[in-house]
Every structure is written in C-alpha cells, then in structure tokens.
Amino acid sequence: MITPQPIDTAPKDGGWILGLVRTEINDTYRQPWAIVSWGDGADCHDFGWYDDEGNRQEPTQWVPLPDPQPFPTGWTPPSGTIYVREITGEGWTCNGKPIEVPYRWIVYIEKPDGDCDNYREPWHEATVDAAHAFAARWRDKFGLPIVTVPLDGKVIPFRPAVPRQ
C-alpha cells in the first residue's frame, strides 16, 4: 500500500500526481482525489496545483499515479528573458487607405537556448505601455529581465506590384 505524502514533497516537474483535495460534506460531485500537476496557470500566472482543465486545486497530500503515466504538461520553471517586441509600425494601409493595427506589440519569454517558452503563450498588446505593464507582471512573478525591441526603422513596407495591362 502506498502511503500519502505531504504535498510539499511532491515533484514539480510538469508530471502528474494524484492529490488529496478536501471536499465539503455536501459536495457530492467532487471526489477526494484529483489528478493534478504543478504550474503557473495560463490565465492568472499564479504558481500552484492545477487539474487537467486548468482549475486551481489545493491538495494536502499526494501519491504517484500508477503506470502508464499521462503525458507531462510541458511545464518547466520560467527562465530566460522577457521580450517586448514591436511587430507592426505606423502608417499601415489597406487598399491605399490608412488602417489601425490593433496589436502592435508582442510580449513573450525567450529561453536561454533561444527557443520561445511555449508553455507561457505570447501576449499581444496595442500600446507599448500596455505591453510593458504585462511584461512587468511576468517580471514580478518570474524574476526575469525585460528587453524592449522597437521595429527596425529600415523596414520597407511591402507594396504589391502594379498589374500590367
């Protein structure tokens, strides 16, 4: 028989465990054990235990899942650099008329090996101030530096060829 261990001894490596989640006596729809994995929450960027639907759980004890194990979540501790990168410039036109591009900036984490941190989805913002505010939340949570990269002034907008008649 496997003896449940305190939750603070559970592995936080992107794998799944079986966590003991206390339920209310009147809660007939919830089971006392839930399959959970450690992460930082896609929406709230809050470290903790989450079930496979992304719901935050508060287990008090854990046991390993029997084989075969589910696929890992892909979660790893955040590392690298937060980039605030301008992806579109001013003066965009469509059919010769000026248009406003709604998402001008992207915020993402680049890992030390140069790959994008796919677990934490890139975030798009309309203004540099909004992008910096989002990046600051990640910086405060993850402790990573922020680098701002404006659009290169040498970019020449694509202009379609004029059809010949």
Side-chain angles (χ1 to χ4, degrees):
M1 182 166 126
I2 298 175
T3 304
Q5 302 294 315
I7 195 64
D8 58 346
T9 65
K12 297 177 179 177
D13 59 3
W16 296 93
I17 63 168
L18 195 56
L20 179 60
V21 181
R22 299 282 182 213
T23 59
E24 299 294 325
I25 294 173
N26 297 338
D27 190 353
T28 58
Y29 297 104
R30 248 175 109 180
Q31 299 299 316
W33 291 91
I35 297 175
V36 295
S37 181
W38 183 260
D40 51 84
D43 294 328
C44 60
H45 307 292
D46 186 25
F47 291 113
W49 295 101
Y50 292 87
D51 63 21
D52 64 344
E53 293 179 355
N55 299 313
R56 178 77 182 254
Q57 301 292 332
E58 298 292 338
T60 57
Q61 295 181 330
W62 75 281
V63 295
L65 284 172
D67 286 332
Q69 293 286 316
F71 287 111
T73 63
W75 184 89
T76 57
S79 64
T81 304
I82 300 167
Y83 278 90
V84 176
R85 185 177 298 272
E86 188 175 19
I87 55 175
T88 63
E90 291 183 19
W92 285 70
T93 62
C94 181
N95 296 328
K97 297 179 183 176
I99 61 168
E100 184 65 32
V101 179
Y103 299 111
R104 188 168 169 183
W105 296 84
I106 187 169
V107 181
Y108 64 96
I109 297 175
E110 186 175 295
K111 297 190 288 187
D113 65 3
D115 287 343
C116 184
D117 183 341
N118 291 324
Y119 184 83
R120 294 157 191 93
E121 291 184 18
W123 198 260
H124 294 86
E125 294 290 354
T127 67
V128 70
D129 292 338
H132 276 281
F134 185 85
R137 287 193 299 274
W138 269 358
R139 179 198 60 217
D140 295 345
K141 184 66 182 176
F142 302 142
L144 302 177
I146 298 173
V147 173
T148 302
V149 182
L151 195 61
D152 185 350
K154 299 177 187 173
V155 172
I156 300 171
F158 173 76
R159 300 200 189 277
V162 177
R164 294 185 183 171
Q165 296 183 8

